Amino acid sequence: MNTVRRRSEGTGYSLCVQPAFIIGTNNEDGTPNFAPITWVSAACAGGNDYLLVISMFGGKTTKQNVMRTGRLSANLVSTDMLPLMDYFGTHHARDGKKDALPYAVSRGKKVDVPVLDASRWVYECEVEQSVQTGESTTFFCRIRNVQIDESVSCRDTFDVDLTRLDPVIYSGMYHSIGKLLGRIGDFAGDGRTGEHGA
Ligand SMILES: Cc1cc2nc3c(=O)[nH]c(=O)nc-3n(C[C@H](O)[C@H](O)[C@H](O)COP(=O)(O)O)c2cc1C
């Protein structure tokens, strides 16, 4: 393996790379609102008990809706949904309804939140805890339901073939993913299989 020569660049760069999610919330008048929030991660509270961790900056309507209602949906963005995400992310709810593009909306099965019919993976969540850091609020969300495209099968928490979900990956620019490389333990060379988090 090569040794890489690196340079120090201070702290202004971010490699916060995740699959992109569009967050669905209820406006005060009951209408749905959607906005991409890509600073989404997870925390394990024990066993298979996962919280979704979502960080929102400033005073955007999506954040106000989450603070007011304590509910949200997180809709995975596949590459066919990129125009929709780009539109939702470049328009503010305070400037009017985001209805210039067509999209279909349903209600969550366990949580009363709007969900996007185009999404292949949807979390329905209730906020359990929130943490304020400067102008950001980070929500630790209890996952009440996961809706997965019926054509995608997952045997357990980590048996997720991202190539089937075809997510948009956001790093400041939009990307798609490449090949499925393998599972934990496939490359260690000693025959052991791993367990994420153990
Ligand atoms: C690709 C993309 C990712 C974004 N990720 C975040 C994020 O992680 N956190 C955040 O607070 N805003 C994020 N934004 C900004 C909001 O989506 C944007 O401010 C949006 O207009 C808010 O909509 P709203 O006013 O309807 O809430 C992102 C925007 C884009 C285009």
Side-chain angles (χ1 to χ4, degrees), residues 24-34 61 65 68-69 93 96-98 103 105 107 113-114:
T25 55
N26 295 310
N27 290 320
E28 261 183 308
D29 64 2
T31 57
N33 188 47
F34 293 97
T61 303
N65 284 348
R68 192 185 67 258
T69 64
K97 293 253 171 292
K98 300 183 187 180
Y103 57 91
V105 179
R107 303 303 298 178
V113 279

Side-chain angles (χ1 to χ4, degrees), residues 4-198:
V4 175
R5 289 172 59 84
R6 291 181 296 266
R7 59 181 190 276
S8 293
E9 285 283 6
T11 59
Y13 290 84
S14 153
L15 196 63
C16 295
V17 177
Q18 295 98 0
F21 286 91
I22 294 173
I23 303 302
T25 55
N26 295 310
N27 290 320
E28 261 183 308
D29 64 2
T31 57
N33 188 47
F34 293 97
I37 302 291
T38 47
W39 285 9
V40 175
S41 186
C44 180
N48 274 341
D49 185 11
Y50 288 91
L51 297 168
L52 211 59
V53 182
I54 307 178
S55 193
M56 300 187 199
F57 181 81
K60 54 180 59 81
T61 303
T62 299
K63 181 168 150 184
Q64 290 171 21
N65 284 348
V66 174
M67 292 173 96
R68 192 185 67 258
T69 64
R71 295 175 193 156
L72 58 88
S73 68
N75 304 260
L76 183 72
V77 180
S78 44
T79 57
D80 57 321
M81 295 170 67
L82 186 51
L84 196 57
M85 173 167 76
D86 209 31
Y87 168 68
F88 285 147
T90 50
H91 293 77
H92 300 293
R94 62 173 174 269
D95 297 332
K97 293 253 171 292
K98 300 183 187 180
D99 54 9
L101 290 186
Y103 57 91
V105 179
S106 301
R107 303 303 298 178
K109 304 250 185 277
K110 293 278 168 62
V111 182
D112 185 27
V113 279
V115 303
L116 287 169
D117 290 357
S119 179
R120 298 174 192 180
W121 185 294
V122 178
Y123 292 105
E124 300 174 38
C125 297
E126 287 172 341
V127 175
E128 190 153 296
Q129 206 176 323
S130 60
V131 176
Q132 195 73 29
T133 42
E135 291 178 58
S136 281
T137 308
T138 301
F139 300 102
F140 289 76
C141 303
R142 178 65 54 190
I143 300 165
R144 296 293 182 204
N145 191 29
V146 185
Q147 298 184 28
I148 304 174
D149 180 342
E150 284 179 358
S151 71
V152 176
S153 58
C154 307
R155 281 173 307 185
D156 57 50
T157 311
F158 296 107
D159 183 43
V160 179
D161 180 350
L162 283 179
T163 62
R164 300 290 307 276
L165 296 169
D166 189 27
V168 172
I169 308 295
Y170 176 69
S171 69
M173 292 186 283
Y174 301 126
H175 303 76
S176 60
I177 61 164
K179 294 179 290 191
L180 171 64
L181 299 177
R183 297 173 185 280
I184 293 179
D186 284 355
F187 305 95
D190 58 4
R192 288 193 197 183
T193 55
E195 197 185 323
H196 178 109

